Amino acid sequence: MFSYIWMKILETQPRRYDLGISMLSLGASELMKNRLVGENVHAGDRVLEIGCGTGTMAIQAALRGARVLGFDISPPMLDVAKEKVDAAGLLEKVELVEMGISGMDKLADDEFDLVMSTLVFSELSHDERVYALDHAFRVLRRGGRLAIGDEAMPRGCWKRLLYRALRLPLLLVTFAVTQTTTRAVEGLADLVSQAGFDIESEVRGRLDSPVYLTAVKEV
Amino acid sequence: MTTVSAWLVAHLFRWLPHASPTGLVAVGNPDRSSPVIVTADFTLTVERVKRALEGLDVWLLVANTDGINVWCAAGGGIFTAQRVIDAIKVSALERKVDHRQVILPALAAPGVDPRLVKEETGFRARFGPVYARDIPAYLAAGKKNTEAMRRFDFGLGHRLDMFLSMNFPIYLGGAVVMAVVARQYLPGYTALYWGAVAFLYILLDLIPGRTGWSQAFFSAAAVVAAWVAVDWLRLADPLAHWGWQLATFAVFFAAGFDIAGTASARRSDAELMMHRLGFSSLGSIFSEKELGEIHLDRELCQGCSTCFEICPVGVYGALDKDRKTTFAARDVCFACGACGMQCPSGALSLSH
């Protein structure tokens, strides 16, 4: 199960990630990130980003005056992020760490004002989602907020069929060009509630996807 | 839906990712002392590993590797120590077993640094055999690999395994074009394409030529020469099928385009060509990464033989009189990066 060339292509994938996500969401991912940061980040906030990828949102948050800790499991993604943060002159505002969600157990309690994440929960397994949300709850201060944007599986079987039919060609083209893909997440709001959060809002796009969810750790 | 897509990916489109559920799975009736086998979450991989483990009582820990198989994910920087750490911690493995050891697939070596896993989780990660089918024998021998278990077998079995899934997407691309522009040639194209692929995949070890491309060319030349001879004898016109004979060269070239990279332990001709043409960063698909050569810093080598044990193609030999590692067959190295990642003293690196 091996092709040398394929391995090399995968190795360089992070440089095409932003393009891939933009293609796959037909531009909606940028809008979602802008909105998430615009509505939730305030100057002076301490922000944790789960799965910061190539750093797009961390940079936006830092530009609004927040101090951001972003972590990601992929070293090559972080390399791209570091370049972008450096180019934006934000090295002092954005800290980038290579770790998976299990590294969240090293973060202190009640440390952050906001935990944000886009297109990460759809890449995690059920257990990983529960783990990440439990720790997100723990590291947030009382009154702190959780904001998640992600690909969501539509509710209702006809919507699902339509969603899959519309998405398949896009998925194949995007994967061929950028080796980027996402998996739709189901029942995210329930998991967020189970972790102890109070859901503030859950907004869904046409065909129920993407989902944009905010929740708060009650005072 | 999942099973249909899993089947399609496993058999026809193995280039695409397809993820199975991750986490800890009980195989048989494992207890607190049973071994923990780690694997990637590519659906076909998980299926094959589960089949290989039938009859054993072990834990199978499926790491999240984005639906990509062990070797590609490890080489591509996806299957890293962090993925193993996440899998161990999220599944709360320390509460399920009393020992502190996990067994990784040998082909995860280019990506996973066991020292990091140990540091973060307390679990010692050791490399098991290359193939899941050898896991029962590996366990029975007290977690010891034989020489054969450490080697990737690029022989006929491997090529037949890859035959359909590696070639179908290319066939399909050609077939779609053919169906639109010249439908009458579709059956001929189909026969020619699969004939060429079968010729190359089955006879690869016997075809002369150092690179995949030269093998494809010699094969096409041989087939066309035979065809011309037959036409000459039977029809008295050696060029009766000249169009098909030209097409034969084209089809062999398409089938052999990356055969060195997919079906044998060689570097990819396709990537080499891109580099030679100066496309060192074509759309960043072929980035600044160079085709590496393995380099040994003798000063740093401590003679632990980790490289000898982890190399899947047998590049390394016994230690020399100064207790430094040696190259037994340097020319078979295709720069997978396993030895460089695993060398505890940083004596091995890929350079050019």
Side-chain angles (χ1 to χ4, degrees), chain A residues 1-12 15-16 73-76 98-103 105-106 123-128 131 164 172 175-177 179 181 183, chain B residues 1 14-17 19 22 42 48 64 66 68-69 71-72 75-76 82-83 85-86 89-90 120 158 162 258 261-262 268 270-271 283-287 289 291 334-336:
Chain A
M1 235 166 294
F2 175 68
S3 161
Y4 186 78
I5 197 166
W6 182 233
M7 201 155 107
K8 291 288 165 189
I9 289 174
L10 285 175
E11 207 167 60
T12 61
R15 302 203 173 271
R16 295 180 298 281
I73 200 164
S74 161
E98 182 203 335
M99 65 182 202
I101 48 129
S102 73
D105 64 357
K106 281 181 279 190
E123 305 212 337
L124 301 180
S125 66
H126 176 82
D127 294 354
E128 289 172 332
Y131 188 100
R164 285 192 163 126
L172 290 177
F175 191 80
V177 178
Q179 296 77 52
T181 190
R183 290 176 257 175
Chain B
M1 187 78 187
R14 225 173 266 183
W15 298 97
L16 297 174
T22 58
F42 186 50
R48 287 184 172 178
N64 185 342
D66 299 348
I68 294 168
N69 70 71
W71 211 0
C72 285
Q82 296 295 346
R83 304 287 181 142
I85 293 164
D86 268 7
K89 283 167 76 178
V90 171
E120 291 289 320
H158 168 69
M162 306 301 274
D258 192 29
T262 50
S268 162
E271 195 187 11
S284 78
I285 287 181
F286 303 94
S287 76
K289 300 245 188 243
L291 292 172
F334 58 96
C336 76

Coordinates of all heavy atoms in Angstrom, one line a residue, chain A residues 1-12 15-16 73-76 98-103 105-106 123-128 131 164 172 175-177 179 181 183, chain B residues 1 14-17 19 22 42 48 64 66 68-69 71-72 75-76 82-83 85-86 89-90 120 158 162 258 261-262 268 270-271 283-287 289 291 334-336:
Chain A
M1 N 0.8 -1.2 0.0 CA 0.0 0.0 0.0 C 0.9 1.2 0.0 O 0.9 2.0 0.9 CB -0.9 0.0 1.2 CG -2.3 0.1 0.9 SD -3.2 -0.3 2.4 CE -2.7 -2.0 2.5
F2 N 1.7 1.4 -1.0 CA 2.7 2.4 -0.9 C 3.0 3.0 -2.2 O 3.2 2.3 -3.2 CB 3.9 1.8 -0.3 CG 5.1 2.8 -0.2 CD1 5.0 3.9 0.6 CD2 6.1 2.6 -1.0 CE1 6.0 4.7 0.7 CE2 7.2 3.4 -0.9 CZ 7.2 4.5 -0.1
S3 N 3.1 4.3 -2.3 CA 3.6 4.9 -3.4 C 4.4 6.1 -2.9 O 4.0 6.9 -2.2 CB 2.5 5.4 -4.3 OG 3.0 6.4 -5.2
Y4 N 5.7 6.1 -3.4 CA 6.6 7.1 -2.9 C 6.1 8.5 -3.3 O 6.1 9.4 -2.4 CB 8.0 6.8 -3.6 CG 9.0 7.7 -3.1 CD1 9.7 7.5 -1.9 CD2 9.4 8.8 -3.9 CE1 10.7 8.3 -1.5 CE2 10.4 9.7 -3.4 CZ 11.0 9.4 -2.2 OH 12.0 10.2 -1.8
I5 N 5.6 8.6 -4.5 CA 5.1 9.9 -4.9 C 3.9 10.4 -4.1 O 3.8 11.5 -3.7 CB 4.7 9.8 -6.4 CG1 4.7 11.3 -7.0 CG2 3.5 9.1 -6.7 CD1 4.7 11.2 -8.5
W6 N 3.1 9.4 -3.7 CA 1.9 9.8 -2.9 C 2.3 10.3 -1.5 O 1.7 11.2 -1.0 CB 1.0 8.5 -2.8 CG -0.3 8.7 -2.1 CD1 -0.7 8.0 -1.1 CD2 -1.3 9.7 -2.3 NE1 -2.0 8.5 -0.7 CE2 -2.3 9.5 -1.4 CE3 -1.4 10.8 -3.3 CZ2 -3.4 10.3 -1.4 CZ3 -2.5 11.6 -3.2 CH2 -3.5 11.3 -2.3
M7 N 3.3 9.6 -1.0 CA 3.8 10.0 0.3 C 4.3 11.5 0.3 O 4.0 12.3 1.1 CB 4.9 9.1 0.7 CG 5.2 9.0 2.1 SD 6.0 7.4 2.4 CE 7.7 7.8 2.7
K8 N 5.0 11.8 -0.8 CA 5.6 13.1 -1.0 C 4.4 14.1 -1.1 O 4.5 15.3 -0.6 CB 6.5 13.2 -2.2 CG 7.8 12.4 -2.0 CD 8.7 13.1 -1.0 CE 9.8 12.2 -0.6 NZ 10.5 12.7 0.5
I9 N 3.4 13.7 -1.9 CA 2.3 14.7 -2.1 C 1.6 14.9 -0.7 O 1.3 16.1 -0.4 CB 1.3 14.1 -3.1 CG1 1.9 14.1 -4.5 CG2 0.0 14.9 -3.1 CD1 1.1 13.4 -5.5
L10 N 1.4 13.9 0.1 CA 0.8 14.1 1.4 C 1.7 15.0 2.3 O 1.2 15.8 3.0 CB 0.6 12.8 2.1 CG -0.5 11.9 1.6 CD1 -0.5 10.5 2.3 CD2 -1.8 12.6 1.8
E11 N 3.0 14.8 2.1 CA 3.9 15.6 3.0 C 3.8 17.1 2.7 O 4.0 17.9 3.6 CB 5.3 15.1 2.6 CG 6.3 15.3 3.7 CD 7.6 14.5 3.3 OE1 8.2 14.8 2.2 OE2 7.9 13.6 4.0
T12 N 3.4 17.5 1.5 CA 3.4 18.9 1.2 C 1.9 19.4 1.2 O 1.7 20.6 0.8 CB 3.9 19.1 -0.2 OG1 3.2 18.4 -1.2 CG2 5.4 18.7 -0.3
R15 N 0.4 23.0 2.5 CA 0.5 24.3 1.7 C -0.7 24.5 0.9 O -0.9 25.5 0.3 CB 1.8 24.3 0.9 CG 3.0 24.1 1.8 CD 4.3 24.7 1.2 NE 5.3 24.6 2.2 CZ 5.5 25.6 3.1 NH1 4.9 26.7 3.0 NH2 6.4 25.4 4.1
R16 N -1.5 23.4 0.7 CA -2.7 23.6 -0.1 C -4.0 23.5 0.7 O -5.0 23.6 0.2 CB -2.7 22.4 -1.2 CG -1.6 22.5 -2.2 CD -1.7 21.4 -3.2 NE -1.6 20.1 -2.6 CZ -0.4 19.5 -2.2 NH1 0.7 20.2 -2.4 NH2 -0.4 18.4 -1.6
I73 N -2.1 19.2 15.7 CA -1.3 17.9 15.7 C -0.4 17.7 14.6 O 0.5 16.9 14.6 CB -2.4 16.7 15.8 CG1 -1.7 15.4 16.3 CG2 -3.0 16.5 14.4 CD1 -2.7 14.4 16.7
S74 N -0.5 18.6 13.6 CA 0.3 18.4 12.4 C 1.4 19.4 12.3 O 1.3 20.6 12.2 CB -0.6 18.6 11.1 OG 0.1 18.9 10.0
P75 N 2.7 18.9 12.4 CA 3.9 19.8 12.3 C 3.9 20.6 11.0 O 4.2 21.8 11.1 CB 5.1 18.8 12.5 CG 4.5 17.6 13.0 CD 3.1 17.5 12.6
P76 N 3.7 20.0 9.9 CA 3.7 20.8 8.7 C 2.7 21.9 8.6 O 2.9 23.0 8.1 CB 3.5 19.8 7.5 CG 3.2 18.5 8.1 CD 3.5 18.5 9.6
E98 N 2.8 22.2 19.1 CA 2.4 20.9 18.4 C 1.9 19.9 19.5 O 2.7 19.5 20.3 CB 3.7 20.4 17.7 CG 3.3 19.1 17.0 CD 4.6 18.2 16.7 OE1 5.7 18.7 16.7 OE2 4.3 17.0 16.6
M99 N 0.7 19.7 19.4 CA 0.1 18.6 20.3 C -1.3 18.2 19.8 O -1.9 19.0 19.0 CB 0.1 19.0 21.7 CG -0.9 20.2 22.1 SD -0.8 20.6 23.8 CE -2.3 21.4 24.0
G100 N -1.7 17.0 20.2 CA -3.0 16.6 19.8 C -4.0 17.1 20.9 O -3.5 17.7 21.9
I101 N -5.2 16.7 20.8 CA -6.2 17.2 21.9 C -5.8 16.6 23.2 O -6.2 17.2 24.2 CB -7.6 16.8 21.5 CG1 -7.7 15.4 21.1 CG2 -8.2 17.8 20.4 CD1 -8.8 14.7 21.8
S102 N -5.2 15.4 23.3 CA -4.8 14.9 24.6 C -3.8 15.7 25.3 O -3.7 15.6 26.5 CB -4.3 13.4 24.4 OG -3.0 13.4 23.9
G103 N -3.2 16.6 24.6 CA -2.2 17.5 25.3 C -3.0 18.6 26.1 O -2.3 19.3 26.9
D105 N -4.7 18.2 28.6 CA -4.7 17.9 30.0 C -3.5 18.7 30.7 O -3.5 18.8 31.9 CB -4.6 16.4 30.3 CG -3.3 15.8 29.8 OD1 -2.5 16.5 29.2 OD2 -3.1 14.6 30.0
K106 N -2.6 19.3 29.9 CA -1.5 20.0 30.5 C -1.9 21.5 30.8 O -1.2 22.2 31.4 CB -0.3 19.9 29.6 CG 0.4 18.6 29.8 CD 1.7 18.5 28.9 CE 1.3 18.2 27.5 NZ 2.4 17.9 26.6
E123 N -13.0 16.1 12.3 CA -11.9 15.2 12.1 C -11.7 14.3 13.3 O -10.8 13.4 13.2 CB -10.7 16.0 11.8 CG -10.9 17.0 10.6 CD -9.6 17.2 9.8 OE1 -8.5 17.0 10.3 OE2 -9.8 17.5 8.6
L124 N -12.4 14.6 14.4 CA -12.1 13.8 15.6 C -13.1 12.6 15.7 O -14.2 12.7 15.2 CB -12.3 14.7 16.8 CG -11.3 15.9 16.9 CD1 -11.6 16.7 18.2 CD2 -9.9 15.5 16.9
S125 N -12.7 11.6 16.4 CA -13.6 10.5 16.7 C -14.5 10.9 17.8 O -14.3 11.9 18.5 CB -12.8 9.2 17.1 OG -12.2 9.5 18.3
H126 N -15.6 10.1 18.1 CA -16.5 10.4 19.2 C -15.8 10.6 20.5 O -16.0 11.6 21.2 CB -17.6 9.3 19.3 CG -18.5 9.5 20.4 ND1 -19.6 10.4 20.4 CD2 -18.5 9.1 21.7 CE1 -20.2 10.4 21.5 NE2 -19.6 9.6 22.4
D127 N -14.9 9.7 20.9 CA -14.2 9.8 22.1 C -13.3 11.0 22.2 O -13.2 11.6 23.3 CB -13.3 8.5 22.3 CG -14.1 7.3 22.5 OD1 -15.3 7.4 22.5 OD2 -13.5 6.2 22.5
E128 N -12.7 11.3 21.1 CA -11.8 12.5 21.0 C -12.7 13.8 21.2 O -12.2 14.7 21.9 CB -11.1 12.5 19.7 CG -10.0 11.5 19.6 CD -9.4 11.4 18.3 OE1 -10.0 11.7 17.2 OE2 -8.2 10.9 18.2
Y131 N -13.5 14.1 24.9 CA -12.3 14.5 25.6 C -12.0 16.0 25.4 O -11.7 16.7 26.4 CB -11.1 13.6 25.1 CG -9.8 13.7 25.8 CD1 -9.5 12.8 26.7 CD2 -9.0 14.8 25.6 CE1 -8.3 12.9 27.4 CE2 -7.8 14.9 26.3 CZ -7.4 13.9 27.2 OH -6.2 14.0 27.9
R164 N -25.2 14.8 0.2 CA -24.1 13.9 -0.2 C -23.9 13.9 -1.7 O -22.8 13.9 -2.2 CB -24.4 12.4 0.2 CG -24.2 12.2 1.6 CD -24.2 10.7 2.0 NE -23.6 10.4 3.3 CZ -24.2 9.8 4.2 NH1 -25.5 9.3 4.1 NH2 -23.6 9.5 5.4
L172 N -14.3 15.1 -4.5 CA -13.3 14.4 -5.3 C -12.3 15.4 -5.9 O -11.1 15.2 -5.9 CB -14.0 13.5 -6.4 CG -14.7 12.3 -5.9 CD1 -15.5 11.6 -7.1 CD2 -13.8 11.3 -5.2
F175 N -10.1 16.8 -3.3 CA -9.1 15.9 -2.8 C -8.0 15.7 -3.8 O -6.8 15.6 -3.5 CB -9.7 14.6 -2.4 CG -8.8 13.7 -1.6 CD1 -8.5 13.9 -0.3 CD2 -8.0 12.7 -2.3 CE1 -7.6 13.2 0.4 CE2 -7.1 12.0 -1.6 CZ -6.9 12.2 -0.3
A176 N -8.4 15.7 -5.1 CA -7.4 15.5 -6.1 C -6.4 16.6 -6.2 O -5.2 16.4 -6.3 CB -8.1 15.3 -7.5
V177 N -6.9 17.8 -5.9 CA -6.0 19.0 -6.1 C -5.3 19.3 -4.8 O -4.1 19.6 -4.8 CB -6.8 20.2 -6.4 CG1 -5.9 21.5 -6.5 CG2 -7.5 20.0 -7.8
Q179 N -5.7 17.3 -1.5 CA -5.6 16.2 -0.5 C -6.3 16.7 0.8 O -5.8 16.3 1.9 CB -4.2 15.7 -0.3 CG -3.6 15.1 -1.5 CD -3.1 16.1 -2.5 OE1 -2.4 17.0 -2.1 NE2 -3.5 16.0 -3.7
T181 N -9.9 17.1 3.0 CA -11.3 16.6 3.1 C -11.8 16.8 4.5 O -11.0 17.1 5.4 CB -11.5 15.2 2.6 OG1 -12.8 14.9 2.5 CG2 -10.9 14.2 3.6
R183 N -15.1 15.6 7.4 CA -16.2 14.6 7.6 C -17.2 15.4 8.4 O -16.9 16.1 9.4 CB -15.6 13.4 8.4 CG -14.7 12.5 7.6 CD -14.2 11.4 8.5 NE -12.8 11.7 8.9 CZ -12.1 10.9 9.7 NH1 -12.7 9.9 10.2 NH2 -10.9 11.2 10.0
Chain B
M1 N -24.1 3.0 2.8 CA -23.3 4.0 2.2 C -21.8 3.8 2.6 O -20.9 3.8 1.8 CB -23.8 5.4 2.8 CG -23.1 6.6 2.2 SD -23.7 6.9 0.5 CE -22.6 8.2 0.0
R14 N -7.9 3.2 -4.1 CA -7.1 3.2 -2.9 C -6.3 4.5 -2.6 O -5.7 4.7 -1.6 CB -6.2 2.0 -2.9 CG -6.2 1.2 -1.6 CD -5.4 -0.1 -1.7 NE -6.2 -1.2 -2.0 CZ -5.7 -2.4 -2.1 NH1 -4.5 -2.7 -1.9 NH2 -6.5 -3.4 -2.4
W15 N -6.3 5.4 -3.6 CA -5.6 6.7 -3.4 C -6.4 7.5 -2.5 O -5.9 8.5 -1.9 CB -5.5 7.4 -4.7 CG -4.6 6.7 -5.7 CD1 -5.0 5.9 -6.7 CD2 -3.2 6.7 -5.8 NE1 -4.0 5.4 -7.4 CE2 -2.8 5.9 -6.9 CE3 -2.2 7.3 -5.1 CZ2 -1.5 5.7 -7.2 CZ3 -0.9 7.1 -5.4 CH2 -0.5 6.3 -6.5
L16 N -7.7 7.3 -2.3 CA -8.5 8.1 -1.5 C -8.5 7.7 -0.1 O -8.3 6.5 0.2 CB -10.0 8.1 -2.0 CG -10.2 8.7 -3.4 CD1 -11.7 8.4 -3.8 CD2 -9.9 10.1 -3.5
P17 N -8.7 8.6 0.9 CA -8.7 8.1 2.3 C -10.1 7.6 2.6 O -11.1 7.9 1.9 CB -8.5 9.4 3.0 CG -9.0 10.5 2.2 CD -8.8 10.0 0.7
A19 N -11.9 6.5 6.4 CA -11.6 6.3 7.8 C -12.6 5.3 8.5 O -13.8 5.4 8.3 CB -11.7 7.6 8.6
T22 N -12.2 5.2 15.3 CA -10.9 5.1 16.0 C -11.2 4.7 17.5 O -12.3 4.6 17.9 CB -10.1 6.4 16.0 OG1 -10.9 7.4 16.6 CG2 -9.8 6.8 14.6
F42 N -7.3 3.7 8.3 CA -7.7 3.4 6.9 C -8.6 2.2 7.0 O -8.2 1.2 7.6 CB -6.5 3.2 6.0 CG -6.9 3.0 4.6 CD1 -7.7 3.9 3.9 CD2 -6.3 2.0 3.8 CE1 -8.0 3.8 2.6 CE2 -6.6 1.8 2.5 CZ -7.4 2.7 1.8
R48 N -8.0 -5.6 7.6 CA -7.0 -6.6 7.4 C -6.3 -7.0 8.8 O -6.0 -8.1 9.0 CB -6.0 -6.2 6.4 CG -6.5 -6.2 5.0 CD -5.4 -5.8 4.0 NE -5.9 -6.1 2.7 CZ -5.3 -5.8 1.6 NH1 -4.1 -5.3 1.7 NH2 -5.8 -6.1 0.4
N64 N -6.2 7.8 15.1 CA -6.8 8.7 14.0 C -5.7 9.2 13.1 O -4.8 10.0 13.4 CB -7.4 9.9 14.7 CG -8.2 10.8 13.8 OD1 -8.0 10.7 12.6 ND2 -9.1 11.6 14.3
D66 N -6.5 10.2 9.8 CA -7.2 10.9 8.7 C -7.6 9.9 7.6 O -7.7 10.3 6.4 CB -6.4 12.0 8.1 CG -6.1 13.1 9.2 OD1 -6.7 13.0 10.2 OD2 -5.3 14.0 8.9
I68 N -6.0 7.4 6.4 CA -4.9 7.1 5.5 C -4.1 5.9 6.1 O -4.0 5.8 7.3 CB -4.0 8.3 5.2 CG1 -4.8 9.3 4.4 CG2 -2.7 7.9 4.5 CD1 -4.2 10.7 4.3
N69 N -3.6 5.0 5.2 CA -2.9 3.8 5.7 C -1.6 4.1 6.5 O -1.1 5.2 6.4 CB -2.6 2.9 4.5 CG -1.6 3.4 3.6 OD1 -0.4 3.4 4.0 ND2 -2.0 3.8 2.4
W71 N 1.7 3.3 6.2 CA 3.0 3.8 5.7 C 2.9 5.2 5.0 O 3.7 6.0 5.2 CB 3.5 2.8 4.6 CG 4.9 2.7 4.5 CD1 5.9 3.4 5.2 CD2 5.7 1.8 3.6 NE1 7.1 3.1 4.8 CE2 7.1 2.1 3.9 CE3 5.4 0.9 2.7 CZ2 8.1 1.5 3.2 CZ3 6.4 0.2 2.0 CH2 7.7 0.5 2.3
C72 N 1.8 5.4 4.3 CA 1.6 6.7 3.6 C 1.4 7.8 4.7 O 2.0 8.9 4.6 CB 0.4 6.7 2.7 SG 0.7 5.8 1.2
G75 N 4.9 8.4 6.4 CA 5.8 9.1 5.5 C 5.3 10.5 5.2 O 6.1 11.4 5.0
G76 N 4.0 10.7 5.2 CA 3.4 12.0 4.9 C 3.3 12.9 6.1 O 2.7 14.0 6.0
Q82 N 2.3 12.1 18.1 CA 1.1 12.8 18.7 C -0.2 12.0 18.4 O -1.1 12.0 19.3 CB 0.9 14.2 18.1 CG 2.0 15.2 18.4 CD 2.2 15.5 19.9 OE1 1.3 15.2 20.7 NE2 3.3 16.0 20.2
R83 N -0.3 11.3 17.3 CA -1.5 10.5 17.0 C -1.6 9.3 17.9 O -2.6 8.9 18.4 CB -1.5 10.0 15.5 CG -1.3 11.1 14.5 CD -2.7 11.9 14.4 NE -2.6 13.0 13.5 CZ -3.6 13.4 12.6 NH1 -4.7 12.7 12.7 NH2 -3.4 14.3 11.8
I85 N -0.1 9.2 20.9 CA -0.3 9.8 22.2 C -1.8 10.1 22.4 O -2.4 9.7 23.5 CB 0.5 11.1 22.4 CG1 2.0 10.7 22.4 CG2 0.1 11.8 23.7 CD1 2.9 11.9 22.2
D86 N -2.4 10.7 21.4 CA -3.9 11.0 21.5 C -4.7 9.7 21.7 O -5.6 9.6 22.5 CB -4.4 11.7 20.2 CG -4.3 13.2 20.4 OD1 -3.8 13.7 21.4 OD2 -4.8 13.9 19.5
K89 N -4.1 8.3 25.3 CA -4.7 9.1 26.4 C -6.2 9.2 26.3 O -7.0 9.1 27.3 CB -4.1 10.5 26.4 CG -2.7 10.5 27.0 CD -1.9 11.7 26.8 CE -2.4 12.9 27.7 NZ -1.5 14.1 27.5
V90 N -6.7 9.4 25.0 CA -8.2 9.5 24.9 C -8.9 8.2 25.2 O -10.0 8.2 25.8 CB -8.5 10.0 23.5 CG1 -10.0 10.0 23.2 CG2 -8.0 11.4 23.3
E120 N 5.3 11.3 27.0 CA 3.9 11.8 27.2 C 3.0 10.9 27.9 O 2.0 11.3 28.5 CB 3.3 12.3 25.9 CG 4.0 13.5 25.3 CD 3.8 14.8 26.1 OE1 2.6 15.0 26.5 OE2 4.7 15.6 26.2
H158 N 2.3 -8.5 -3.6 CA 2.1 -7.1 -3.4 C 1.5 -6.4 -4.7 O 0.6 -5.6 -4.6 CB 3.4 -6.4 -3.0 CG 3.3 -4.9 -3.0 ND1 2.6 -4.2 -2.1 CD2 3.9 -4.0 -3.8 CE1 2.7 -2.9 -2.4 NE2 3.5 -2.7 -3.4
M162 N -2.1 -4.5 -5.4 CA -2.2 -3.2 -5.9 C -2.8 -3.0 -7.3 O -3.2 -1.9 -7.7 CB -0.8 -2.5 -5.9 CG -0.1 -2.6 -4.6 SD -1.0 -1.8 -3.2 CE -0.5 -0.1 -3.4
D258 N 4.2 5.6 -12.9 CA 4.7 5.6 -11.5 C 4.9 4.2 -11.0 O 4.8 3.9 -9.8 CB 3.7 6.4 -10.6 CG 4.4 6.7 -9.3 OD1 5.6 6.8 -9.2 OD2 3.6 6.8 -8.3
G261 N 7.3 3.6 -8.3 CA 6.9 4.2 -7.0 C 5.8 3.3 -6.3 O 5.7 3.3 -5.1
T262 N 5.0 2.7 -7.1 CA 3.8 2.0 -6.6 C 4.1 0.5 -6.4 O 3.5 -0.1 -5.5 CB 2.6 2.2 -7.4 OG1 2.9 1.9 -8.8 CG2 2.0 3.6 -7.3
S268 N 10.3 7.0 -7.2 CA 9.3 7.3 -8.3 C 10.0 8.0 -9.5 O 10.6 9.0 -9.3 CB 8.2 8.1 -7.8 OG 7.5 8.7 -8.9
A270 N 8.3 9.3 -11.8 CA 7.5 10.5 -12.1 C 8.0 11.7 -11.3 O 8.1 12.8 -11.8 CB 6.1 10.2 -11.7
E271 N 8.4 11.5 -10.0 CA 8.8 12.6 -9.2 C 10.2 13.1 -9.7 O 10.5 14.3 -9.8 CB 8.9 12.3 -7.7 CG 9.0 13.5 -6.9 CD 9.3 13.3 -5.5 OE1 9.5 12.1 -5.1 OE2 9.2 14.3 -4.7
G283 N 3.1 23.8 -8.3 CA 1.9 24.0 -7.5 C 2.1 23.5 -6.1 O 1.2 23.1 -5.4
S284 N 3.3 23.5 -5.7 CA 3.7 23.0 -4.4 C 3.4 21.5 -4.2 O 3.6 20.9 -3.1 CB 3.2 23.8 -3.2 OG 1.9 23.5 -3.0
I285 N 3.0 20.8 -5.2 CA 2.8 19.3 -5.1 C 4.2 18.7 -5.0 O 4.4 17.8 -4.1 CB 2.0 18.8 -6.3 CG1 0.6 19.2 -6.2 CG2 2.2 17.2 -6.3 CD1 -0.3 18.7 -7.3
F286 N 5.1 19.1 -5.8 CA 6.5 18.7 -5.6 C 7.2 19.9 -5.0 O 7.6 20.8 -5.7 CB 7.1 18.3 -7.0 CG 6.3 17.3 -7.7 CD1 5.3 17.6 -8.6 CD2 6.5 15.9 -7.4 CE1 4.6 16.6 -9.2 CE2 5.8 15.0 -8.0 CZ 4.8 15.3 -8.9
S287 N 7.3 19.9 -3.7 CA 7.8 21.1 -3.0 C 9.3 21.1 -3.1 O 10.0 20.4 -3.8 CB 7.3 21.1 -1.6 OG 8.1 20.1 -0.9
K289 N 11.2 19.8 -1.2 CA 11.8 18.6 -0.7 C 12.6 17.9 -1.8 O 12.2 17.8 -2.9 CB 10.7 17.6 -0.2 CG 9.9 18.2 0.9 CD 10.0 17.4 2.1 CE 9.0 17.8 3.1 NZ 9.5 18.4 4.3
L291 N 14.9 14.7 -3.3 CA 15.0 13.2 -3.2 C 16.2 12.9 -2.3 O 17.3 13.1 -2.7 CB 15.1 12.6 -4.6 CG 13.9 12.8 -5.5 CD1 14.3 12.3 -6.9 CD2 12.8 12.0 -4.9
F334 N 15.1 3.7 -0.7 CA 14.3 4.7 -1.4 C 13.8 5.8 -0.5 O 12.8 6.4 -0.7 CB 13.1 3.9 -2.1 CG 12.2 3.2 -1.2 CD1 11.1 3.7 -0.8 CD2 12.6 1.9 -0.8 CE1 10.2 3.0 0.1 CE2 11.7 1.2 0.0 CZ 10.6 1.8 0.5
A335 N 14.6 6.1 0.5 CA 14.4 7.2 1.3 C 13.0 7.3 2.0 O 12.3 8.3 2.0 CB 14.6 8.5 0.5
C336 N 12.6 6.2 2.7 CA 11.3 6.3 3.4 C 11.4 7.1 4.7 O 10.5 7.6 5.2 CB 10.8 4.9 3.7 SG 11.6 4.0 5.0

